[in-house]
Amino acid sequence: MSPDEMRARLAELTTEADELRAFADAVERGDHDDEQSIAAAVARLLPIPEPKKGFFGGTKGKSRQEQERERIDLVRRAQRSTLILHALNRVNKEIYPEIHELKFKLATL
């Protein structure tokens, strides 16, 4: 590989790493939430148990709606974490090693 090709590849990899980091930031903000997938994952969870009756007849604990919101938030956080993990793993395990190798080769020419 010629030095010009190495520089071009280095620029491509740097751009891709920046794009993946921007994607991870957008996922963390919620820009890439897939609401249909989240709803499907929540539907596959075990049913919400009936609220327990308290000593004086009232229910104790969280309402069904609160529990449902918690489940949705849990699934949403899990999906976001997975997307972020995939993006950052690609950057750290595939792109950065190649960037470092190309920089080393260019420095030794």
Side-chain angles (χ1 to χ4, degrees):
M1 189 182 275
S2 73
D4 290 334
E5 290 173 333
M6 283 189 230
R7 286 186 193 95
R9 178 69 179 148
L10 184 62
E12 289 173 14
L13 290 171
T14 303
T15 302
E16 185 178 354
D18 292 341
E19 289 171 356
L20 284 169
R21 277 190 250 115
F23 173 76
D25 291 340
V27 168
E28 193 169 343
R29 288 190 307 269
D31 294 349
H32 295 280
D33 286 350
D34 181 3
E35 295 302 325
Q36 290 178 340
S37 173
I38 291 169
V42 169
R44 287 190 302 266
L45 295 174
L46 292 173
I48 297 174
E50 291 297 322
K52 296 179 181 177
K53 294 285 184 180
F55 185 72
F56 295 106
T59 59
K60 50 184 196 179
K62 298 176 183 169
S63 70
R64 268 192 180 285
Q65 290 175 345
E66 290 172 333
Q67 289 176 352
E68 188 68 25
R69 272 187 255 120
E70 283 182 0
R71 285 176 167 216
I72 292 169
D73 289 340
L74 179 68
V75 170
R76 183 173 285 121
R77 283 193 311 265
Q79 286 187 350
R80 286 180 184 174
S81 295
T82 300
L83 287 173
I84 291 169
L85 181 66
H86 286 298
L88 296 180
N89 275 344
R90 169 123 171 83
V91 170
N92 291 327
K93 294 182 179 181
E94 297 175 25
I95 295 175
Y96 278 162
E98 191 173 350
I99 286 174
H100 292 298
E101 180 183 343
L102 287 171
K103 283 182 178 180
F104 177 76
K105 285 180 181 179
L106 285 169
T108 59
L109 290 178

